[in-house]
């Protein structure tokens, strides 16, 4: 794997030397890109000696038969920035491209991991918090700092994570990249709109952000993705999109896409009820609303599912969150239920962040603390991949034991 190791100017730059050594030791091709400030902390000669390639001088250099500021990012399989200073994070979040590291980050389509390191006051400053949130929203992975001794002998949160943690996290992340290749993943997103008359609808607060993030993450991990969405959010790149309005539309679109799919993730907030007879003309005065239940799309999928298909449901709750979700898991007959406490700060409807618990029918429980919806998406897909792999293993074992019995 071709790794670009970005080093920005903080005292933790000395630990980047160890990160570099570990990546090279694990058999990867490493190019270290140093900012001007980083060069004040650690000499270029150290990285040139340890990395696979010499340290590129800067933006204007030719590199690998092309120009350094585009070629490095284009050819990278992984970019890790350790340490990532407050200044670097601000420049990256703003989309600057005035030095080799920032330009490389703007060009690359590879996964990016940043490892912040700074004083506690800076780490807690709203500007830094917002820059990191913006980067997380764009799919950048963050290895959070630890607490400990900081530059100048101060103590507190902000010390860069240990090199072993950084290397393990970054390598695990890129191993994920292709683990859905060859699969078809269907994702539903957004709140449905149930007509009262041609003007009014019954709907809910779902924005579709979590479902869109799942579609984007599944595509990035190599899946063919069909996104059935009622949301006006723009569609992630490389995803087939079916726009729907009502629960009935969503039912029809899912029924068309799901039978051949390997995975169906019902992240949509499908209305549980709708007006029984929507008026053909605009109602004047108070409408008499008679409601009827909508078909439960997910439960229908579970009844009709083919062996090996993984089904994921969502549960948005405000109290007894996990207990209710566990009952839902059983009632719906699905493999996984992602539980959202939509009353928790920063979680659920319309936020860019989320905090979930993923319950498995096999008794597994995975807690994902508050993070970007994109990272929640990857955590859900990790659970899905574990089930696909287990099914594939079970099928292989069953086939082998059948063959062994025949040969006996
Ligand atoms: O029963 P409840 O609406 O809480 O279940 C939520 C889960 O069921 C979500 O995954 C949602 O997409 C799905 N659902 C469905 N059809 C409905 C209602 C919900 O597939 N009519």
């Amino acid at each position: 794997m071709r790794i670009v190791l970005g080093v920005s100017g903080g005292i933790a730059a000395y630990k980047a030397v160890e990160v570099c050594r570990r990546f090279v030791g694990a058999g990867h091709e490493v190019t270290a890109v140093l900012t001007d400030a980083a060069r004040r902390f650690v000499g270029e000669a150290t990285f040139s000696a340890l990395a696979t390639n010499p340290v590129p001088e800067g933006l204007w250099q030719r590199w690998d038969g092309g120009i350094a500021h585009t070629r490095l990012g284009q050819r990278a399989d992984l970019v890790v920035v350790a340490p990532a200073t407050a200044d670097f994070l601000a420049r990256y979040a703003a989309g600057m491209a005035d030095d080799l590291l920032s330009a490389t980050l703007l060009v690359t389509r590879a996964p990016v991991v940043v490892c912040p390191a700074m004083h506690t006051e800076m780490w807690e400053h709203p500007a830094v918090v917002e820059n990191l949130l913006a980067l997380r929203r764009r799919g950048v992975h963050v290895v959070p700092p630890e607490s400990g001794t900081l530059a100048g002998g101060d103590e507190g949160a902000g010390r860069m994570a240990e090199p072993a943690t950084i290397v393990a996290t970054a390598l695990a992340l890129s191993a994920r990249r292709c683990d859905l290749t060859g699969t078809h993943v269907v994702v539903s997103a957004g709140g449905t709109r149930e007509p009262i008359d041609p003007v009014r609808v019954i709907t809910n607060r779902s924005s579709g952000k979590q479902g869109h993030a799942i579609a984007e993450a599944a595509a990035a991990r190599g899946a063919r993705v069909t996104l059935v969405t009622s949301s006006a959010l723009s569609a992630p790149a490389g995803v087939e999109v079916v726009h729907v309005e009502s629960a009935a539309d969503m039912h029809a679109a899912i029924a068309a896409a799901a039978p051949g799919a390997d995975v169906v993730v019902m992240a949509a907030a499908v209305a549980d009820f709708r007006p029984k007879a929507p008026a053909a003309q605009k109602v004047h005065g108070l409408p008499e609303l008679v409601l009827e239940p909508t078909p439960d799309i997910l439960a229908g999928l579970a009844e009709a599912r083919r062996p090996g298909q993984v089904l994921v449901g969502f549960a948005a709750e405000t109290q007894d969150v996990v207990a209710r979700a566990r009952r839902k898991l059983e009632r719906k007959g699905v493999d996984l239920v992602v539980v959202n406490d939509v009353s928790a700060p920063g979680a659920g409807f319309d936020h860019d962040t989320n905090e979930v618990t993923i319950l498995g029918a096999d008794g597994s429980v995975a807690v994902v603390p508050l993070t970007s919806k994109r990272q929640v998406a990857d955590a859900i897909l990790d659970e899905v991949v574990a089930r696909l792999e287990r099914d594939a293993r079970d099928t292989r074992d069953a086939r082998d034991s059948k063959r062994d019995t025949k040969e006996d």
Side-chain angles (χ1 to χ4, degrees):
M1 192 159 60
R2 281 199 197 95
I3 301 176
V4 169
L5 173 63
V7 185
S8 63
I11 182 59
Y14 84 91
K15 290 209 257 177
V17 174
E18 177 64 9
V19 173
C20 177
R21 205 187 59 74
R22 283 176 182 259
F23 278 137
V24 174
H28 301 290
E29 180 185 327
V30 181
T31 308
V33 176
L34 275 56
T35 63
D36 285 344
R39 287 170 206 268
R40 290 176 167 255
F41 286 92
V42 185
E44 195 179 300
T46 309
F47 284 101
S48 285
L50 282 172
T52 325
N53 299 316
V55 173
E57 280 155 29
L59 213 46
W60 307 105
Q61 192 187 349
R62 287 196 69 72
W63 185 263
D64 201 11
I67 37 181
H69 80 277
T70 54
R71 188 52 67 93
L72 267 171
Q74 284 165 342
R75 304 201 64 197
D77 300 304
L78 173 69
V79 182
V80 179
V81 184
T85 60
D87 178 65
F88 161 79
L89 292 170
R91 288 164 9 83
Y92 184 21
M96 307 280 281
D98 59 350
D99 68 2
L100 186 55
L101 180 56
S102 53
T104 299
L105 284 160
L106 224 52
V107 166
T108 197
R109 295 294 175 266
V112 176
V113 180
V114 296
C115 312
M118 62 198 75
H119 260 67
T120 312
E121 295 85 341
M122 288 186 176
W123 174 243
E124 291 173 351
H125 194 284
V128 174
V129 172
E130 279 169 28
N131 286 333
L132 269 173
L133 196 60
L135 292 172
R136 281 188 152 121
R137 246 192 336 256
R138 295 175 203 159
V140 172
H141 294 265
V142 180
V143 182
E146 296 166 359
S147 281
T149 308
L150 305 167
D154 291 339
E155 292 277 332
R159 193 176 73 172
M160 189 174 83
E162 287 307 312
T165 311
I166 293 171
V167 170
T169 310
L171 294 182
L173 181 78
S174 50
R176 246 182 197 173
R177 273 227 102 190
C178 295
D179 57 7
L180 284 169
T181 302
T183 63
H184 180 202
V185 176
V186 174
V187 183
S188 70
T192 63
R193 287 184 285 277
E194 310 302 327
I196 295 171
D197 65 15
V199 180
R200 287 82 159 215
V201 292
I202 296 179
T203 188
N204 57 64
R205 294 180 189 278
S206 170
S207 63
K209 285 181 181 172
Q210 185 63 74
H212 280 234
I214 294 168
E216 183 181 74
R221 292 167 78 149
R224 171 162 88 82
V225 180
T226 306
L227 173 63
V228 179
T229 180
S230 59
S231 167
L233 291 173
S234 58
V239 162
E240 180 201 352
V241 182
V242 184
H243 285 286
V244 295
E245 274 268 322
S246 64
D249 297 343
M250 186 162 277
H251 193 191
I254 297 283
D262 302 283
V263 181
V264 183
V265 183
M266 284 294 297
V270 185
D272 294 313
F273 49 80
R274 62 187 168 204
K276 193 168 180 178
Q281 305 300 332
K282 182 177 173 185
V283 176
H284 294 280
L286 270 186
E288 290 249 327
L289 283 186
V290 180
L291 301 174
E292 67 173 6
T294 55
D296 190 325
I297 304 172
L298 191 54
L301 289 178
E303 275 168 29
R305 85 153 100 188
R306 59 183 180 75
Q309 189 178 50
V310 176
L311 296 180
V312 185
F314 270 67
E317 301 288 353
T318 53
Q319 55 184 349
D320 295 336
V321 176
V322 172
R324 280 173 190 270
R326 204 169 279 295
R327 290 200 289 276
K328 191 163 298 181
L329 186 69
E330 282 162 24
R331 197 173 68 241
K332 302 237 179 193
V334 295
D335 300 284
L336 295 163
V337 162
V338 182
V339 198
N340 247 158
D341 179 349
V342 288
S343 62
F349 299 130
D350 212 27
H351 289 287
D352 292 323
T353 47
N354 209 356
E355 182 182 356
V356 302
T357 302
I358 309 168
L359 301 178
D362 55 7
S364 70
V365 180
V367 177
V368 187
L370 194 66
T371 184
S372 68
K373 286 194 168 169
R374 175 57 198 270
Q375 285 184 22
V376 169
D378 273 315
I380 296 166
L381 293 176
D382 286 347
E383 295 294 320
V384 166
V385 167
R387 273 140 189 97
L388 287 173
E389 285 173 352
R390 195 171 56 202
D391 278 341
R393 220 174 23 245
D394 290 351
T395 312
R396 232 179 9 250
D397 290 350
R399 200 184 48 222
D400 289 350
S401 75
K402 214 165 159 187
R403 196 190 51 218
D404 292 348
T405 325
K406 255 195 201 152
E407 281 169 5
D408 288 349

